[in-house]
Amino acid sequence: RRFPGRPVQIDHGPRDRPQVALTFHGNGDPATARAVLAEAERSGARLTVLAIGTWLDAHPELARRILDGGHELGNHTWHHGDINAMAEAEAYAEITGCAERLKRLTGSIGSWFRHSQGRYASPLVQRLAQRAGYPHVLSYDVDSLDFTSPGAAAVIRNVIGTVRSGSVVSLHFGYADTVDAMPPLLEELARRKLRAVTTTELLTP
């Protein structure tokens, strides 16, 4: 959906409501993904999962698992290559390939598109995402750096050190540190009166 008044590339939501969006790159061991989802649900948190197309292809049941848990599902390209460096046709195929897989699995191309391998999408990638049916590209303003496997304590520090109302946090499935970080991270967000909601909820007035 389109959010009038918001830029094509969104990296945070309104700063005047005590909500944050925890967004996950959907990839890696399905067991790790299920563990993260279970921890979120235990705390009443709702996540946004940007799934890689090849991952969905290999584990199609996870699309329904994510949606059935009250989370939202989006597009994180087909192969997770450096999309900003790709030629137009290749980049567009990366976006539409994942969109088509999402549509076959769920009936929708997904709530959001997030480009791969970079914090911000190039102007070309933004235009291609819009052409593929995504009014916005979802970036983030808080990077957990969990994909570097720095330990759960560092993941928590990286998030809590910069998170604030309206933040969009980048996290990943597939890393044990992220699973271990989830319960204390969610506890700390609750202590700060910050509620973890889907990105759509974060941006809906």
Side-chain angles (χ1 to χ4, degrees):
R1 58 177 286 191
R2 188 180 304 280
F3 291 91
R6 291 271 163 200
V8 173
Q9 187 151 237
I10 293 175
D11 60 7
H12 66 84
R15 297 297 192 187
D16 58 352
R17 296 203 304 268
Q19 299 177 330
V20 298
L22 302 180
T23 67
F24 283 79
H25 300 229
N27 200 16
D29 182 355
T32 312
R34 289 192 185 93
V36 169
L37 293 167
E39 291 296 349
E41 288 154 20
R42 224 168 260 131
S43 299
R46 285 191 291 273
L47 313 178
T48 299
V49 179
L50 292 317
I52 295 167
T54 52
W55 183 71
L56 284 177
D57 219 26
H59 311 290
E61 72 286 352
L62 285 173
R64 184 48 54 195
R65 169 66 186 87
I66 290 161
L67 294 174
D68 286 350
H71 313 289
E72 68 181 348
L73 184 61
N75 178 336
H76 195 37
T77 76
W78 184 252
H79 290 106
H80 200 260
D82 184 358
I83 195 167
N84 285 340
M86 291 176 190
E88 180 171 341
E90 184 184 3
Y92 190 61
E94 281 290 317
I95 299 168
T96 56
C98 188
E100 286 160 10
R101 169 54 70 187
L102 283 164
K103 186 96 186 265
R104 284 200 297 276
L105 288 172
T106 70
S108 162
I109 64 168
S111 305
W112 296 94
F113 168 72
R114 174 173 284 165
H115 48 289
S116 46
Q117 294 206 28
R119 190 164 191 159
Y120 294 106
S122 68
L124 172 63
V125 170
Q126 292 179 49
R127 289 196 302 276
L128 296 176
Q130 290 184 301
R131 190 197 303 169
Y134 301 95
H136 302 280
V137 171
L138 184 60
S139 182
Y140 48 89
D141 65 331
V142 176
D143 192 347
S144 69
L145 299 173
D146 57 348
F147 62 92
T148 65
S149 297
V155 172
I156 296 162
R157 275 197 311 274
N158 290 340
V159 175
I160 294 303
T162 49
V163 76
R164 56 192 177 115
S165 292
S167 282
V168 176
V169 183
S170 171
L171 292 144
H172 293 72
F173 285 164
Y175 294 88
D177 291 349
T178 312
V179 179
D180 294 343
M182 284 296 286
L185 175 57
L186 290 165
E187 281 173 27
E188 181 59 23
L189 290 173
R191 195 183 69 76
R192 296 181 180 210
K193 306 285 195 290
L194 292 172
R195 199 158 64 92
V197 298
T198 66
T199 305
T200 298
E201 289 175 289
L202 182 75
L203 291 161
T204 300

